[in-house]
Amino acid sequence: MSDTPFGFGLPPEEPDDGDEGKKKDQQSGGGQGPANPFGFGLSGAGGPGADNPLAAMFGSLNPGDLGAAFQQLGQMLSYEGGPVNWDMAKQIARQTVSQGTPDGVKDASTGPAERSAVQEAVRLADLWLDDVTALPSGSGSAVAWSRAEWVEATLPAWQELVDPVAERVGTAMGEVLPEEMQAMAGPLIGMMRSMGGAMFGTQIGQAVGVLAGEVVGSTDIGLPLGPAGRAALLPVNIEAFGKDLGVPKDQVRLYIALREAAHQRLFAHVPWLRSHLFGAVDGYARGIKVDTAKLEDVVGQFDPQNPEQLQDALQQGMFQPEDTPEQKQALARLETALALVEGWVDAVVHAAAKPRLSSADALRETLRRRRATGGPAEQTFATLIGLELRPRRLRDASRLWASLTDARGVDGRDALWAHPDMLPTASDLDDPDGFVHREQLDFSELDKLLGDAASGQGSKPDLRKDDEGDTGGEGHGKADGGDGTE
């Protein structure tokens, strides 16, 4: 470990040969000197630390930046919050957004014309969706966000997704040291956890900032990241997305609005869905183990003067899924849930857009491929939390929902969202015809019996019609014949 903790070296002693010694020392680059108190190379210096990944936080470290640099280092080392320094994550995300995307597109505030265009697109999208789904509108408002506004609005959801995994890392940092050393190393462990929170915050911030340059709405990854009931589009990203498609700008915006409005309907009127999805993510995260061998190696060589070691470990990934039946089941549950959400949205949006937009097929295929491949930000999250938030079976799920529409109608299809146990499973995606024509569970009689038992009179309202306006339609998953087929 370095004899000069945190990179703060002692002032250089006066050279024996006076001014000549000072000149030689400066020419040879010896000593740290007051211009580089952190040990991080200055911009263009080319010295040790010039490629330090923390440069994004400390900037060029010219003399005018030193005050801010000292402040940020102090915040990093004194952080005592949760497993992720979310203040730092927000700061890094905002900085990343301000730099623009690799293609040179900068963030921009939305003006009245863009806000009006988004509101009109969402209003028209909801009108079209009324014809193809039994779920009513879930968009209480429609907003146009800049990338920076998307960052601010979605960070609470990212915190809910990432904190459980980051907590495991923080705990593991204290467990890799032998028990007899933990008491003596208490301050070091505390500092490492602070550094770990800062490094996680840096990496999450960078990923969220990059993702802000890619997304076109608040539900792009299949999870409700924004406030409930608020349909949000990012005009600057929609314009960049449609630039080379050869499709009129208003059609691109309207198709994106259809997808956003469809997601909002699902999350607003299937009250259990959000907790189901986030619970699936949490269930998968609980089965992830930290690569203790890699972490022990990092801890054993940890030098407070080189905190980037922790960041390098995070970038390389320290998480391994448990190869157990429980973990495989959790992964299948999560992938199926994401696929069912995205497949339903894909099916209903296509049904709404196909008769009205000449570019519907081309836009559908482009967005399918975009979701299937993911971008660099999604790959970063996969490294950080060991999880890819992509619907691997989107096409299978979309075909199943379309088949259900043909066999049972819109009401019968959407009635399946009344209860999680009624949804198709991973095996049903392998045999969609078998699921479509299978006798479905009808929870209405069970609900009636439970209501009678609880109150002694009357019955509870149908599960398909809750206080939030959820409706499953007639037949609750059955067609007129009562056997699940037409």
Side-chain angles (χ1 to χ4, degrees):
M1 185 175 293
S2 169
D3 294 329
T4 56
F6 313 118
F8 296 115
L10 297 176
E13 297 182 2
E14 187 72 18
D16 293 335
D17 49 354
D19 292 339
E20 290 298 318
K22 289 182 181 179
K23 293 178 181 178
K24 291 178 182 178
D25 189 60
Q26 292 170 356
Q27 292 171 355
S28 63
Q32 187 163 299
N36 190 7
F38 297 106
F40 300 147
L42 300 184
S43 177
D51 296 326
N52 194 298
L54 296 180
M57 289 189 290
F58 294 111
S60 61
L61 281 185
N62 60 48
D65 294 333
L66 286 178
F70 272 110
Q71 184 179 8
Q72 289 218 5
L73 184 63
Q75 290 173 349
M76 182 169 62
L77 295 176
S78 62
Y79 175 71
E80 296 180 352
V84 178
N85 188 331
W86 287 102
D87 290 337
M88 183 166 289
K90 181 191 293 187
Q91 180 180 349
I92 296 299
R94 294 292 297 263
Q95 290 176 358
T96 303
V97 164
S98 68
Q99 294 169 2
T101 52
D103 57 3
V105 178
K106 296 286 187 178
D107 191 21
S109 299
T110 57
E114 290 173 318
R115 291 193 290 271
S116 177
V118 166
Q119 291 169 356
E120 178 62 23
V122 172
R123 185 194 65 80
L124 184 57
D126 267 329
L127 286 177
W128 291 4
L129 289 171
D130 284 341
D131 295 334
V132 296
T133 174
L135 301 179
S137 173
S139 306
S141 62
V143 294
W145 280 345
S146 66
R147 293 166 180 169
E149 288 172 324
W150 183 90
V151 168
E152 295 280 350
T154 62
L155 272 180
W158 291 120
Q159 184 171 355
E160 188 174 349
L161 286 168
V162 174
D163 268 352
V165 179
E167 181 66 42
R168 291 177 58 80
V169 177
T171 302
M173 282 183 173
E175 295 175 347
V176 295
L177 291 176
E179 185 175 349
E180 61 273 12
M181 292 181 60
Q182 291 186 17
M184 295 185 296
L188 175 61
I189 293 174
M191 185 186 69
M192 288 176 59
R193 286 178 175 170
S194 296
M195 296 293 291
M199 295 307 173
F200 248 118
T202 301
Q203 291 294 298
I204 294 294
Q206 289 173 344
V208 169
V210 172
L211 193 57
E214 300 173 359
V215 295
V216 292
S218 71
T219 54
D220 271 25
I221 66 168
L223 296 173
L225 297 179
R230 184 177 301 173
L233 301 183
L234 282 73
V236 65
N237 288 355
I238 292 175
E239 184 172 354
F241 168 73
K243 182 179 179 181
D244 299 321
L245 296 181
V247 176
K249 181 178 177 179
D250 59 337
Q251 289 197 29
V252 175
R253 181 174 54 242
L254 184 51
Y255 196 89
I256 298 297
L258 281 165
R259 289 183 53 81
E260 178 74 8
H263 277 105
Q264 293 295 337
R265 288 182 181 231
L266 204 54
F267 293 126
H269 299 294
V270 182
W272 53 265
L273 182 56
R274 187 186 191 278
S275 60
H276 180 77
L277 287 168
F278 278 73
V281 173
D282 184 63
Y284 180 78
R286 283 198 302 269
I288 294 175
K289 66 179 180 181
V290 177
D291 187 345
T292 54
K294 182 178 291 186
L295 187 57
E296 286 176 3
D297 184 60
V298 172
V299 172
Q301 301 180 31
F302 179 72
D303 182 351
Q305 192 174 358
N306 295 291
E308 65 272 15
Q309 290 175 345
L310 288 177
Q311 179 158 322
D312 290 341
L314 290 176
Q315 289 175 327
Q316 296 169 12
M318 291 190 294
F319 313 111
Q320 299 173 344
E322 292 276 13
D323 189 18
T324 63
E326 293 78 12
Q327 180 68 353
K328 291 178 180 178
Q329 184 179 10
L331 179 59
R333 177 177 172 233
L334 175 59
E335 289 183 341
T336 301
L338 288 172
L340 290 175
V341 169
E342 290 295 282
W344 184 87
V345 168
D346 181 78
V348 300
V349 167
H350 184 69
K354 177 69 172 175
R356 299 177 174 96
L357 292 180
S358 59
S359 57
D361 288 332
L363 288 169
R364 182 191 202 189
E365 186 59 28
T366 300
L367 284 164
R368 276 181 165 185
R369 293 180 180 180
R370 187 173 185 261
R371 282 294 286 125
T373 58
E378 289 190 57
Q379 294 164 9
T380 300
F381 281 114
T383 301
L384 284 172
I385 65 175
L387 176 63
E388 293 182 356
L389 296 173
R390 296 205 295 270
R392 298 178 184 275
R393 307 196 65 180
L394 186 155
R395 294 176 189 269
D396 293 336
S398 182
R399 281 193 292 268
L400 187 146
W401 289 118
S403 297
L404 284 168
T405 307
D406 294 338
R408 304 180 187 179
V410 168
D411 289 348
R413 177 200 66 199
D414 292 347
L416 295 178
W417 291 106
H419 193 282
D421 290 343
M422 297 177 68
L423 288 177
T425 63
S427 59
D428 292 324
L429 295 179
D430 296 327
D431 182 21
D433 288 338
F435 179 84
V436 168
H437 299 293
R438 184 185 310 153
E439 177 75 16
Q440 294 296 301
L441 294 174
D442 189 341
F443 285 82
S444 58
E445 287 301 319
L446 175 61
D447 189 46
K448 182 178 183 299
L449 290 174
L450 291 175
D452 291 343
S455 63
Q457 60 181 0
S459 62
K460 288 177 63 180
D462 196 309
L463 278 174
R464 295 166 293 157
K465 297 181 180 178
D466 62 281
D467 292 338
E468 297 186 44
D470 182 24
T471 177
E474 297 293 326
H476 200 54
K478 294 183 180 181
D480 295 338
D483 60 355
T485 62
E486 286 191 312

